[in-house]
Amino acid sequence: LLGPRGGSSSAQGSYVVGVDHGTESVRAAVFDHEGRMIASASSAYVTSFPEPGYAEQNPEDWWSCMCTAVQGALATAAEAGVSASMIKAMSVDTTSCTVVALDAGGNPLRPCLLWMDARSAEQTTEILEKGAGDPALAVNCDGEGPLSAEWMVPKSLWLKQHEPDIFDAAATIAEAQDYINFKLTGRMVCSTCSVATRWHWDAAAALEHDAKVREFGPSDLRSGQLLLSTTLYHASPRSTCLCLPLQLVP
């Protein structure tokens, strides 16, 4: 969530921007304080299917299309008398589990593995077999399966096994939401909602120790900083292309 510069203001005359990154496009809309939509715009990105069961997108398209959609919604809202200075917050969502490998600067190393990409089906079986009895697997399926090829760990393992150069070069294996949040804030964080439901993350156990995925090595799947998806945090100048007078607030 992004908040207004200069502190809060009364609800009257306040507007928010909602951004939804879907499978085929990103939609942005301006709403008033009662939830009425004032304006909206969308921008489509390309999905490629290099092989059966594969689905990929360019993560940089998500950001450029988001900027286009937000700017379009603001332009339409301006015609209705709502200026960018009246926008008090923005909320963003994305598809999940859409996995992207990033270098140390947060730049994509390859196209993402879109949520529907099922190439890691074999890895789900391997994880269940080698991870039998691991409490991490019990978080989602009580250790019995099935695991989904859409989830983070199978896709990460596929990258390690089939594209080791990419995996080794990656500073972060993240989700689409994490990448967009990084573009907005300059901070690489992830949502506890995502990691609890699709990364086999047990919050209670994590408070006691760093969970490691056995058989694949403790250095292979590195845990990043976890924040609640509703956490507010400090701004960076990265979001200026959205044409919004916003900063992330503590």
Short mmCIF file of all heavy atoms in Angstrom, two decimals, residues 142-205:
data_model
loop_
_atom_site.label_atom_id
_atom_site.label_comp_id
_atom_site.label_asym_id
_atom_site.label_seq_id
_atom_site.Cartn_x
_atom_site.Cartn_y
_atom_site.Cartn_z
N ASP A 142 -0.31 -31.84 4.43
CA ASP A 142 -0.08 -32.83 5.47
C ASP A 142 0.95 -33.87 5.03
O ASP A 142 0.93 -35.00 5.49
CB ASP A 142 -1.39 -33.50 5.88
CG ASP A 142 -1.30 -34.15 7.26
OD1 ASP A 142 -0.50 -33.66 8.09
OD2 ASP A 142 -2.01 -35.14 7.50
N GLY A 143 1.81 -33.47 4.09
CA GLY A 143 2.88 -34.33 3.65
C GLY A 143 2.49 -35.41 2.66
O GLY A 143 3.34 -36.18 2.21
N GLU A 144 1.21 -35.48 2.31
CA GLU A 144 0.75 -36.56 1.43
C GLU A 144 0.63 -36.14 -0.03
O GLU A 144 0.51 -36.98 -0.91
CB GLU A 144 -0.62 -37.07 1.93
CG GLU A 144 -0.60 -37.63 3.33
CD GLU A 144 0.31 -38.85 3.46
OE1 GLU A 144 0.40 -39.63 2.48
OE2 GLU A 144 0.93 -39.01 4.52
N GLY A 145 0.62 -34.86 -0.30
CA GLY A 145 0.43 -34.41 -1.68
C GLY A 145 -1.03 -34.38 -2.05
O GLY A 145 -1.91 -34.71 -1.24
N PRO A 146 -1.38 -33.99 -3.26
CA PRO A 146 -0.40 -33.63 -4.29
C PRO A 146 0.16 -32.21 -4.09
O PRO A 146 -0.50 -31.38 -3.48
CB PRO A 146 -1.21 -33.70 -5.58
CG PRO A 146 -2.60 -33.31 -5.14
CD PRO A 146 -2.76 -33.90 -3.75
N LEU A 147 1.36 -31.99 -4.61
CA LEU A 147 1.88 -30.64 -4.75
C LEU A 147 1.50 -30.12 -6.13
O LEU A 147 1.34 -30.89 -7.07
CB LEU A 147 3.40 -30.63 -4.60
CG LEU A 147 3.99 -31.10 -3.27
CD1 LEU A 147 5.49 -30.95 -3.30
CD2 LEU A 147 3.39 -30.33 -2.11
N SER A 148 1.41 -28.82 -6.25
CA SER A 148 1.06 -28.22 -7.53
C SER A 148 2.32 -27.76 -8.25
O SER A 148 3.21 -27.13 -7.66
CB SER A 148 0.13 -27.02 -7.33
OG SER A 148 -0.08 -26.36 -8.56
N ALA A 149 2.40 -28.07 -9.54
CA ALA A 149 3.51 -27.59 -10.36
C ALA A 149 3.47 -26.08 -10.52
O ALA A 149 4.43 -25.49 -11.03
CB ALA A 149 3.46 -28.26 -11.74
N GLU A 150 2.38 -25.45 -10.09
CA GLU A 150 2.27 -23.99 -10.15
C GLU A 150 3.05 -23.31 -9.02
O GLU A 150 3.29 -22.11 -9.09
CB GLU A 150 0.80 -23.56 -10.07
CG GLU A 150 -0.06 -24.05 -11.22
CD GLU A 150 -1.52 -23.66 -11.04
OE1 GLU A 150 -1.83 -22.94 -10.06
OE2 GLU A 150 -2.35 -24.07 -11.87
N TRP A 151 3.45 -24.05 -7.99
CA TRP A 151 3.97 -23.44 -6.77
C TRP A 151 5.45 -23.11 -6.88
O TRP A 151 6.17 -23.53 -7.80
CB TRP A 151 3.70 -24.33 -5.58
CG TRP A 151 2.24 -24.43 -5.24
CD1 TRP A 151 1.22 -23.71 -5.79
CD2 TRP A 151 1.63 -25.31 -4.30
NE1 TRP A 151 0.02 -24.08 -5.24
CE2 TRP A 151 0.24 -25.06 -4.32
CE3 TRP A 151 2.12 -26.27 -3.44
CZ2 TRP A 151 -0.66 -25.75 -3.50
CZ3 TRP A 151 1.22 -26.96 -2.62
CH2 TRP A 151 -0.15 -26.70 -2.66
N MET A 152 5.94 -22.36 -5.91
CA MET A 152 7.29 -21.82 -5.93
C MET A 152 8.39 -22.88 -5.90
O MET A 152 9.32 -22.85 -6.71
CB MET A 152 7.48 -20.85 -4.76
CG MET A 152 8.90 -20.42 -4.50
SD MET A 152 9.67 -19.56 -5.88
CE MET A 152 8.93 -17.93 -5.71
N VAL A 153 8.34 -23.81 -4.96
CA VAL A 153 9.45 -24.74 -4.79
C VAL A 153 9.66 -25.63 -6.01
O VAL A 153 10.79 -25.78 -6.48
CB VAL A 153 9.26 -25.57 -3.50
CG1 VAL A 153 10.39 -26.60 -3.36
CG2 VAL A 153 9.25 -24.65 -2.28
N PRO A 154 8.62 -26.24 -6.61
CA PRO A 154 8.86 -27.03 -7.82
C PRO A 154 9.43 -26.19 -8.97
O PRO A 154 10.32 -26.66 -9.70
CB PRO A 154 7.47 -27.57 -8.17
CG PRO A 154 6.71 -27.55 -6.90
CD PRO A 154 7.22 -26.36 -6.15
N LYS A 155 8.95 -24.98 -9.15
CA LYS A 155 9.46 -24.15 -10.23
C LYS A 155 10.91 -23.75 -9.97
O LYS A 155 11.73 -23.72 -10.90
CB LYS A 155 8.57 -22.90 -10.40
CG LYS A 155 7.22 -23.22 -11.06
CD LYS A 155 6.34 -21.99 -11.17
CE LYS A 155 5.07 -22.31 -11.96
NZ LYS A 155 4.12 -21.19 -11.99
N SER A 156 11.23 -23.45 -8.73
CA SER A 156 12.61 -23.12 -8.40
C SER A 156 13.53 -24.31 -8.63
O SER A 156 14.65 -24.17 -9.15
CB SER A 156 12.73 -22.68 -6.93
OG SER A 156 11.98 -21.50 -6.69
N LEU A 157 13.07 -25.50 -8.26
CA LEU A 157 13.87 -26.70 -8.47
C LEU A 157 14.05 -26.98 -9.95
O LEU A 157 15.13 -27.41 -10.38
CB LEU A 157 13.21 -27.89 -7.77
CG LEU A 157 13.98 -29.21 -7.83
CD1 LEU A 157 15.38 -29.07 -7.25
CD2 LEU A 157 13.20 -30.31 -7.11
N TRP A 158 13.01 -26.72 -10.75
CA TRP A 158 13.16 -26.89 -12.21
C TRP A 158 14.25 -25.97 -12.74
O TRP A 158 15.08 -26.40 -13.56
CB TRP A 158 11.83 -26.58 -12.91
CG TRP A 158 11.89 -26.88 -14.39
CD1 TRP A 158 11.50 -28.03 -15.01
CD2 TRP A 158 12.38 -26.02 -15.42
NE1 TRP A 158 11.73 -27.94 -16.37
CE2 TRP A 158 12.26 -26.72 -16.64
CE3 TRP A 158 12.89 -24.73 -15.44
CZ2 TRP A 158 12.65 -26.17 -17.87
CZ3 TRP A 158 13.29 -24.18 -16.65
CH2 TRP A 158 13.17 -24.88 -17.85
N LEU A 159 14.26 -24.73 -12.29
CA LEU A 159 15.30 -23.80 -12.73
C LEU A 159 16.68 -24.31 -12.34
O LEU A 159 17.63 -24.25 -13.13
CB LEU A 159 15.06 -22.42 -12.13
CG LEU A 159 13.90 -21.60 -12.71
CD1 LEU A 159 13.66 -20.35 -11.87
CD2 LEU A 159 14.18 -21.22 -14.16
N LYS A 160 16.82 -24.81 -11.12
CA LYS A 160 18.11 -25.32 -10.67
C LYS A 160 18.57 -26.49 -11.53
O LYS A 160 19.76 -26.59 -11.88
CB LYS A 160 18.02 -25.75 -9.21
CG LYS A 160 19.35 -26.28 -8.68
CD LYS A 160 19.19 -26.96 -7.34
CE LYS A 160 20.53 -27.58 -6.94
NZ LYS A 160 20.41 -28.36 -5.69
N GLN A 161 17.67 -27.37 -11.86
CA GLN A 161 18.05 -28.59 -12.57
C GLN A 161 18.20 -28.40 -14.07
O GLN A 161 19.04 -29.06 -14.69
CB GLN A 161 17.01 -29.69 -12.28
CG GLN A 161 16.99 -30.14 -10.83
CD GLN A 161 15.90 -31.15 -10.55
OE1 GLN A 161 14.93 -31.29 -11.31
NE2 GLN A 161 16.03 -31.87 -9.43
N HIS A 162 17.40 -27.51 -14.66
CA HIS A 162 17.39 -27.38 -16.12
C HIS A 162 18.10 -26.12 -16.63
O HIS A 162 18.51 -26.08 -17.80
CB HIS A 162 15.95 -27.41 -16.63
CG HIS A 162 15.29 -28.74 -16.47
ND1 HIS A 162 15.34 -29.72 -17.43
CD2 HIS A 162 14.58 -29.24 -15.44
CE1 HIS A 162 14.69 -30.79 -17.01
NE2 HIS A 162 14.21 -30.52 -15.80
N GLU A 163 18.20 -25.12 -15.77
CA GLU A 163 18.89 -23.89 -16.16
C GLU A 163 19.83 -23.47 -15.02
O GLU A 163 19.65 -22.43 -14.39
CB GLU A 163 17.89 -22.78 -16.48
CG GLU A 163 17.00 -23.10 -17.68
CD GLU A 163 16.04 -21.97 -18.05
OE1 GLU A 163 16.06 -20.92 -17.36
OE2 GLU A 163 15.28 -22.14 -19.01
N PRO A 164 20.83 -24.30 -14.72
CA PRO A 164 21.69 -24.02 -13.56
C PRO A 164 22.44 -22.70 -13.66
O PRO A 164 22.71 -22.07 -12.64
CB PRO A 164 22.65 -25.22 -13.55
CG PRO A 164 22.60 -25.78 -14.94
CD PRO A 164 21.21 -25.54 -15.42
N ASP A 165 22.78 -22.27 -14.87
CA ASP A 165 23.47 -20.98 -15.01
C ASP A 165 22.57 -19.83 -14.55
O ASP A 165 23.03 -18.89 -13.88
CB ASP A 165 23.91 -20.76 -16.46
CG ASP A 165 25.02 -21.71 -16.88
OD1 ASP A 165 25.64 -22.33 -15.99
OD2 ASP A 165 25.25 -21.86 -18.09
N ILE A 166 21.29 -19.90 -14.91
CA ILE A 166 20.33 -18.89 -14.47
C ILE A 166 20.15 -18.96 -12.96
O ILE A 166 20.17 -17.93 -12.25
CB ILE A 166 18.97 -19.08 -15.18
CG1 ILE A 166 19.10 -18.83 -16.68
CG2 ILE A 166 17.90 -18.17 -14.56
CD1 ILE A 166 19.38 -17.39 -17.04
N PHE A 167 20.00 -20.17 -12.44
CA PHE A 167 19.77 -20.33 -11.01
C PHE A 167 20.95 -19.81 -10.21
O PHE A 167 20.78 -19.11 -9.21
CB PHE A 167 19.53 -21.81 -10.69
CG PHE A 167 19.07 -22.05 -9.28
CD1 PHE A 167 17.72 -22.06 -8.95
CD2 PHE A 167 19.99 -22.28 -8.26
CE1 PHE A 167 17.29 -22.28 -7.65
CE2 PHE A 167 19.57 -22.50 -6.95
CZ PHE A 167 18.22 -22.50 -6.65
N ASP A 168 22.16 -20.15 -10.65
CA ASP A 168 23.35 -19.71 -9.92
C ASP A 168 23.55 -18.20 -10.01
O ASP A 168 24.09 -17.58 -9.08
CB ASP A 168 24.59 -20.42 -10.45
CG ASP A 168 24.60 -21.91 -10.12
OD1 ASP A 168 23.86 -22.31 -9.21
OD2 ASP A 168 25.34 -22.66 -10.78
N ALA A 169 23.12 -17.60 -11.12
CA ALA A 169 23.28 -16.15 -11.29
C ALA A 169 22.23 -15.36 -10.53
O ALA A 169 22.38 -14.15 -10.32
CB ALA A 169 23.24 -15.79 -12.77
N ALA A 170 21.15 -16.02 -10.13
CA ALA A 170 20.04 -15.32 -9.49
C ALA A 170 20.38 -14.96 -8.04
O ALA A 170 20.78 -15.82 -7.26
CB ALA A 170 18.78 -16.18 -9.53
N ALA A 171 20.20 -13.70 -7.71
CA ALA A 171 20.29 -13.28 -6.32
C ALA A 171 18.99 -13.58 -5.60
O ALA A 171 18.97 -13.79 -4.38
CB ALA A 171 20.60 -11.79 -6.23
N THR A 172 17.89 -13.61 -6.36
CA THR A 172 16.56 -13.81 -5.78
C THR A 172 15.71 -14.61 -6.75
O THR A 172 15.70 -14.34 -7.95
CB THR A 172 15.85 -12.48 -5.51
OG1 THR A 172 16.69 -11.63 -4.73
CG2 THR A 172 14.53 -12.70 -4.78
N ILE A 173 15.00 -15.61 -6.24
CA ILE A 173 13.91 -16.26 -6.97
C ILE A 173 12.64 -15.75 -6.29
O ILE A 173 12.41 -16.03 -5.11
CB ILE A 173 13.98 -17.79 -6.90
CG1 ILE A 173 15.35 -18.30 -7.37
CG2 ILE A 173 12.86 -18.39 -7.73
CD1 ILE A 173 15.63 -18.06 -8.83
N ALA A 174 11.85 -15.00 -7.03
CA ALA A 174 10.73 -14.29 -6.41
C ALA A 174 9.45 -14.50 -7.20
O ALA A 174 9.44 -15.14 -8.25
CB ALA A 174 11.06 -12.79 -6.35
N GLU A 175 8.38 -13.95 -6.67
CA GLU A 175 7.09 -13.96 -7.37
C GLU A 175 6.87 -12.62 -8.06
O GLU A 175 7.56 -11.62 -7.78
CB GLU A 175 5.95 -14.22 -6.39
CG GLU A 175 5.89 -15.65 -5.90
CD GLU A 175 4.48 -16.04 -5.46
OE1 GLU A 175 3.51 -15.66 -6.15
OE2 GLU A 175 4.36 -16.71 -4.42
N ALA A 176 5.89 -12.60 -8.94
CA ALA A 176 5.55 -11.37 -9.66
C ALA A 176 5.26 -10.24 -8.69
O ALA A 176 5.68 -9.09 -8.89
CB ALA A 176 4.36 -11.61 -10.57
N GLN A 177 4.54 -10.53 -7.60
CA GLN A 177 4.22 -9.50 -6.61
C GLN A 177 5.47 -8.90 -6.01
O GLN A 177 5.58 -7.69 -5.81
CB GLN A 177 3.36 -10.10 -5.50
CG GLN A 177 2.91 -9.11 -4.44
CD GLN A 177 1.78 -8.20 -4.91
OE1 GLN A 177 0.74 -8.69 -5.32
NE2 GLN A 177 1.99 -6.91 -4.86
N ASP A 178 6.45 -9.76 -5.73
CA ASP A 178 7.70 -9.27 -5.13
C ASP A 178 8.44 -8.35 -6.09
O ASP A 178 9.01 -7.33 -5.69
CB ASP A 178 8.59 -10.45 -4.75
CG ASP A 178 7.83 -11.54 -4.01
OD1 ASP A 178 6.87 -11.20 -3.29
OD2 ASP A 178 8.18 -12.72 -4.16
N TYR A 179 8.45 -8.73 -7.37
CA TYR A 179 9.13 -7.92 -8.38
C TYR A 179 8.48 -6.55 -8.52
O TYR A 179 9.17 -5.52 -8.56
CB TYR A 179 9.12 -8.66 -9.72
CG TYR A 179 9.65 -7.86 -10.88
CD1 TYR A 179 11.01 -7.63 -11.02
CD2 TYR A 179 8.80 -7.36 -11.85
CE1 TYR A 179 11.51 -6.90 -12.09
CE2 TYR A 179 9.28 -6.63 -12.92
CZ TYR A 179 10.64 -6.40 -13.04
OH TYR A 179 11.12 -5.68 -14.10
N ILE A 180 7.15 -6.52 -8.58
CA ILE A 180 6.45 -5.24 -8.71
C ILE A 180 6.67 -4.39 -7.45
O ILE A 180 6.90 -3.17 -7.54
CB ILE A 180 4.95 -5.46 -8.97
CG1 ILE A 180 4.74 -6.07 -10.36
CG2 ILE A 180 4.18 -4.15 -8.85
CD1 ILE A 180 5.21 -5.19 -11.51
N ASN A 181 6.62 -5.01 -6.27
CA ASN A 181 6.88 -4.25 -5.05
C ASN A 181 8.30 -3.69 -5.05
O ASN A 181 8.53 -2.57 -4.59
CB ASN A 181 6.68 -5.14 -3.82
CG ASN A 181 5.21 -5.35 -3.50
OD1 ASN A 181 4.35 -4.60 -3.95
ND2 ASN A 181 4.92 -6.39 -2.73
N PHE A 182 9.25 -4.46 -5.57
CA PHE A 182 10.62 -3.97 -5.67
C PHE A 182 10.70 -2.77 -6.61
O PHE A 182 11.39 -1.78 -6.33
CB PHE A 182 11.55 -5.08 -6.16
CG PHE A 182 12.94 -4.62 -6.44
CD1 PHE A 182 13.83 -4.36 -5.41
CD2 PHE A 182 13.37 -4.43 -7.74
CE1 PHE A 182 15.12 -3.92 -5.66
CE2 PHE A 182 14.66 -3.98 -8.01
CZ PHE A 182 15.54 -3.73 -6.97
N LYS A 183 10.01 -2.85 -7.73
CA LYS A 183 10.01 -1.74 -8.68
C LYS A 183 9.40 -0.49 -8.04
O LYS A 183 9.81 0.64 -8.32
CB LYS A 183 9.25 -2.11 -9.95
CG LYS A 183 9.88 -3.24 -10.75
CD LYS A 183 11.17 -2.80 -11.43
CE LYS A 183 10.92 -1.90 -12.62
NZ LYS A 183 12.17 -1.57 -13.34
N LEU A 184 8.42 -0.68 -7.18
CA LEU A 184 7.76 0.45 -6.52
C LEU A 184 8.59 1.04 -5.39
O LEU A 184 8.55 2.24 -5.15
CB LEU A 184 6.39 0.02 -5.97
CG LEU A 184 5.26 -0.13 -6.99
CD1 LEU A 184 4.08 -0.84 -6.36
CD2 LEU A 184 4.83 1.23 -7.53
N THR A 185 9.34 0.19 -4.69
CA THR A 185 9.92 0.62 -3.42
C THR A 185 11.43 0.49 -3.34
O THR A 185 12.05 1.08 -2.45
CB THR A 185 9.33 -0.20 -2.26
OG1 THR A 185 9.81 -1.55 -2.34
CG2 THR A 185 7.81 -0.20 -2.31
N GLY A 186 12.04 -0.34 -4.20
CA GLY A 186 13.46 -0.59 -4.08
C GLY A 186 13.81 -1.60 -3.00
O GLY A 186 14.97 -1.83 -2.72
N ARG A 187 12.80 -2.25 -2.41
CA ARG A 187 13.03 -3.25 -1.38
C ARG A 187 12.54 -4.60 -1.86
O ARG A 187 11.44 -4.72 -2.41
CB ARG A 187 12.30 -2.88 -0.09
CG ARG A 187 12.83 -1.63 0.59
CD ARG A 187 12.15 -1.40 1.92
NE ARG A 187 12.45 -2.47 2.86
CZ ARG A 187 11.87 -2.57 4.06
NH1 ARG A 187 10.97 -1.69 4.44
NH2 ARG A 187 12.19 -3.55 4.87
N MET A 188 13.36 -5.63 -1.69
CA MET A 188 12.99 -6.97 -2.09
C MET A 188 12.38 -7.69 -0.90
O MET A 188 13.07 -8.11 0.04
CB MET A 188 14.22 -7.74 -2.60
CG MET A 188 13.88 -9.10 -3.18
SD MET A 188 12.70 -9.03 -4.57
CE MET A 188 13.68 -8.15 -5.79
N VAL A 189 11.07 -7.79 -0.88
CA VAL A 189 10.34 -8.44 0.19
C VAL A 189 9.30 -9.36 -0.43
O VAL A 189 9.07 -9.34 -1.64
CB VAL A 189 9.65 -7.41 1.11
CG1 VAL A 189 10.66 -6.50 1.78
CG2 VAL A 189 8.63 -6.59 0.33
N CYS A 190 8.67 -10.17 0.39
CA CYS A 190 7.60 -11.01 -0.13
C CYS A 190 6.46 -11.07 0.88
O CYS A 190 6.61 -10.68 2.03
CB CYS A 190 8.11 -12.41 -0.45
SG CYS A 190 8.92 -13.26 0.91
N SER A 191 5.33 -11.54 0.42
CA SER A 191 4.13 -11.56 1.23
C SER A 191 4.02 -12.86 2.02
O SER A 191 4.20 -13.95 1.47
CB SER A 191 2.90 -11.42 0.31
OG SER A 191 1.71 -11.77 0.99
N THR A 192 3.72 -12.75 3.31
CA THR A 192 3.51 -13.95 4.10
C THR A 192 2.31 -14.75 3.60
O THR A 192 2.25 -15.97 3.81
CB THR A 192 3.30 -13.60 5.59
OG1 THR A 192 2.25 -12.64 5.70
CG2 THR A 192 4.57 -13.03 6.19
N CYS A 193 1.37 -14.11 2.95
CA CYS A 193 0.23 -14.83 2.38
C CYS A 193 0.72 -15.79 1.30
O CYS A 193 0.36 -16.97 1.28
CB CYS A 193 -0.77 -13.83 1.80
SG CYS A 193 -2.18 -14.61 0.96
N SER A 194 1.57 -15.29 0.40
CA SER A 194 2.08 -16.14 -0.68
C SER A 194 2.95 -17.27 -0.14
O SER A 194 2.80 -18.43 -0.54
CB SER A 194 2.90 -15.29 -1.67
OG SER A 194 2.08 -14.36 -2.34
N VAL A 195 3.87 -16.94 0.77
CA VAL A 195 4.81 -17.97 1.21
C VAL A 195 4.14 -19.03 2.09
O VAL A 195 4.58 -20.18 2.12
CB VAL A 195 6.03 -17.35 1.93
CG1 VAL A 195 6.78 -16.43 1.00
CG2 VAL A 195 5.63 -16.62 3.20
N ALA A 196 3.08 -18.65 2.77
CA ALA A 196 2.39 -19.62 3.61
C ALA A 196 1.53 -20.57 2.78
O ALA A 196 1.40 -21.75 3.12
CB ALA A 196 1.52 -18.90 4.64
N THR A 197 0.96 -20.08 1.70
CA THR A 197 0.05 -20.91 0.92
C THR A 197 0.74 -21.67 -0.21
O THR A 197 0.27 -22.75 -0.59
CB THR A 197 -1.08 -20.07 0.31
OG1 THR A 197 -0.51 -19.01 -0.48
CG2 THR A 197 -1.96 -19.47 1.39
N ARG A 198 1.86 -21.15 -0.74
CA ARG A 198 2.47 -21.80 -1.91
C ARG A 198 3.96 -22.06 -1.78
O ARG A 198 4.57 -22.57 -2.69
CB ARG A 198 2.22 -20.93 -3.15
CG ARG A 198 0.74 -20.83 -3.52
CD ARG A 198 0.54 -19.95 -4.75
NE ARG A 198 -0.85 -19.89 -5.14
CZ ARG A 198 -1.73 -19.01 -4.64
NH1 ARG A 198 -1.34 -18.14 -3.73
NH2 ARG A 198 -2.98 -19.01 -5.05
N TRP A 199 4.54 -21.68 -0.63
CA TRP A 199 5.98 -21.91 -0.45
C TRP A 199 6.25 -22.87 0.71
O TRP A 199 7.39 -23.09 1.08
CB TRP A 199 6.71 -20.60 -0.15
CG TRP A 199 6.70 -19.55 -1.19
CD1 TRP A 199 5.80 -19.37 -2.20
CD2 TRP A 199 7.64 -18.48 -1.32
NE1 TRP A 199 6.11 -18.26 -2.93
CE2 TRP A 199 7.25 -17.70 -2.41
CE3 TRP A 199 8.78 -18.12 -0.59
CZ2 TRP A 199 7.94 -16.56 -2.80
CZ3 TRP A 199 9.47 -17.00 -0.98
CH2 TRP A 199 9.06 -16.23 -2.09
N HIS A 200 5.23 -23.44 1.31
CA HIS A 200 5.38 -24.37 2.45
C HIS A 200 6.05 -23.70 3.63
O HIS A 200 6.91 -24.28 4.29
CB HIS A 200 6.16 -25.61 2.02
CG HIS A 200 5.66 -26.24 0.77
ND1 HIS A 200 4.48 -26.95 0.72
CD2 HIS A 200 6.15 -26.23 -0.50
CE1 HIS A 200 4.28 -27.37 -0.52
NE2 HIS A 200 5.27 -26.94 -1.27
N TRP A 201 5.64 -22.50 3.93
CA TRP A 201 6.25 -21.72 5.01
C TRP A 201 5.37 -21.78 6.24
O TRP A 201 4.19 -21.42 6.20
CB TRP A 201 6.45 -20.28 4.56
CG TRP A 201 7.12 -19.39 5.56
CD1 TRP A 201 8.43 -19.44 5.94
CD2 TRP A 201 6.52 -18.31 6.29
NE1 TRP A 201 8.70 -18.44 6.86
CE2 TRP A 201 7.54 -17.73 7.09
CE3 TRP A 201 5.25 -17.76 6.34
CZ2 TRP A 201 7.32 -16.66 7.92
CZ3 TRP A 201 5.01 -16.69 7.17
CH2 TRP A 201 6.05 -16.14 7.96
N ASP A 202 5.93 -22.23 7.34
CA ASP A 202 5.24 -22.32 8.62
C ASP A 202 5.70 -21.13 9.47
O ASP A 202 6.84 -21.10 9.93
CB ASP A 202 5.57 -23.64 9.31
CG ASP A 202 4.76 -23.85 10.58
OD1 ASP A 202 4.47 -22.86 11.28
OD2 ASP A 202 4.42 -25.00 10.86
N ALA A 203 4.83 -20.18 9.71
CA ALA A 203 5.21 -18.96 10.42
C ALA A 203 5.70 -19.26 11.83
O ALA A 203 6.69 -18.71 12.29
CB ALA A 203 4.04 -17.99 10.46
N ALA A 204 5.02 -20.17 12.53
CA ALA A 204 5.41 -20.47 13.90
C ALA A 204 6.80 -21.11 13.93
O ALA A 204 7.64 -20.75 14.76
CB ALA A 204 4.38 -21.41 14.54
N ALA A 205 7.04 -22.04 13.03
CA ALA A 205 8.35 -22.70 13.00
C ALA A 205 9.44 -21.72 12.58
O ALA A 205 10.57 -21.80 13.06
CB ALA A 205 8.31 -23.88 12.04
#
